[in-house]
């Protein structure tokens, strides 16, 4: 089975001071041990870089070089499935954001 990884999960796995680190690391180990894969998109990795280098979030944020190395490792791992959004997926994303009015600032969009 393939599981989509989001930036918060990746950050929790990688940053030992993250409050969910132990849970995320344990879950990842269970998934990989059972032969499952992790689907990752470039956007998730961009958000991961932002999160793990942010000194407002962590006392010991990663340097950008360390964050990039970890990002590349996730992207290139044998257990990772690289997922690229299609034009249709991007169009649907924008349509749903307008329709469901999330995040709240979109509520003023006609």
């Amino acid at each position: 089975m393939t599981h989509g990884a989001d930036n918060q999960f990746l950050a929790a796995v990688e940053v030992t001071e993250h409050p969910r680190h132990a849970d995320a690391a344990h879950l990842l180990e269970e998934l990989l041990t059972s032969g499952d894969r992790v689907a990752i998109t470039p956007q998730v990795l961009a958000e991961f870089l932002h999160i793990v280098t942010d000194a407002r979030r962590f006392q010991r944020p990663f340097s950008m070089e360390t964050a990039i190395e970890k990002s590349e490792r996730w992207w290139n791992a044998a257990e990772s499935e690289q997922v690229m959004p299609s034009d249709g997926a991007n169009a649907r994303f924008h349509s749903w954001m307008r329709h469901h009015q999330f995040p709240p600032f979109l509520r003023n969009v006609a």
Side-chain angles (χ1 to χ4, degrees), residues 52-79:
V52 300
T53 59
D54 187 352
R56 294 172 295 175
R57 295 174 196 251
F58 302 111
Q59 292 180 0
R60 295 177 312 277
F62 293 156
S63 68
M64 184 54 76
E65 184 57 34
T66 296
I68 291 170
E69 288 171 2
K70 291 180 180 293
S71 174
E72 287 176 326
R73 188 183 68 211
W74 278 102
W75 186 250
N76 294 311
E79 301 83 10

Side-chain angles (χ1 to χ4, degrees), residues 41 43-44 47 85-103 105-106 109:
T41 67
Q43 179 61 32
V44 165
E47 293 167 355
S86 67
D87 290 342
N90 284 323
R92 180 173 292 150
F93 162 77
H94 290 110
S95 174
W96 285 355
M97 292 297 284
R98 282 192 180 92
H99 176 77
H100 296 288
Q101 298 183 348
F102 185 82
F105 66 80
L106 288 177
V109 174

Side-chain angles (χ1 to χ4, degrees), residues 1-66:
M1 178 181 291
T2 301
H3 304 271
D6 69 0
N7 58 64
Q8 292 296 324
F9 177 74
L10 297 182
V13 168
E14 293 292 347
V15 180
T16 57
E17 69 181 273
H18 191 288
R20 302 294 310 267
H21 172 72
D23 293 336
H26 179 73
L27 176 58
L28 179 63
E29 183 178 331
E30 284 182 356
L31 296 175
L32 298 181
T33 299
S34 67
D36 290 357
R37 297 174 50 79
V38 179
I40 299 177
T41 67
Q43 179 61 32
V44 165
L45 293 177
E47 293 167 355
F48 167 80
L49 293 174
H50 171 76
I51 291 169
V52 300
T53 59
D54 187 352
R56 294 172 295 175
R57 295 174 196 251
F58 302 111
Q59 292 180 0
R60 295 177 312 277
F62 293 156
S63 68
M64 184 54 76
E65 184 57 34
T66 296

